[in-house]
Amino acid sequence: MSKLISCQFNIDTACVELVFDDGSRISIDCTAVENEVAVNRFQRSERNDLIYKNPLAYADLILNSKLNVLFE
């Protein structure tokens, strides 16, 4: 398994970008994700706060499908 070397939110593209030591990259389009999963504006604002303060936690949330756990 590849080691994560970088994780940051790119405000220009509205994506959380992950870079691994083998050169592979994952880009999570935060706008598209929020359009699909946000039930109300309060949930959206909580995840937006997570995007800016802890993009790695947001990426973990999205990639491991823990969305329903966060807002129960």
Side-chain angles (χ1 to χ4, degrees):
M1 176 164 235
S2 299
K3 180 179 175 184
L4 180 68
I5 57 173
S6 172
C7 178
Q8 63 184 9
F9 176 68
N10 183 335
I11 198 161
D12 295 328
T13 61
C15 294
V16 171
E17 299 171 342
L18 296 97
V19 179
F20 297 90
D21 64 350
D22 66 355
S24 61
R25 297 174 180 261
I26 296 175
S27 182
I28 301 169
D29 185 340
C30 299
T31 303
V33 169
E34 294 308 309
N35 287 340
E36 289 295 320
V37 299
V39 174
N40 60 47
R41 64 186 172 102
F42 301 110
Q43 286 182 353
R44 183 182 293 260
S45 70
E46 288 182 27
R47 282 191 297 272
N48 283 342
D49 192 45
L50 188 60
I51 291 167
Y52 293 110
K53 291 183 178 178
N54 194 347
L56 183 58
Y58 181 82
D60 181 53
L61 180 77
I62 301 304
L63 295 175
N64 293 312
S65 300
K66 296 178 184 173
L67 290 172
N68 58 345
V69 174
L70 184 64
F71 298 104
E72 287 182 343

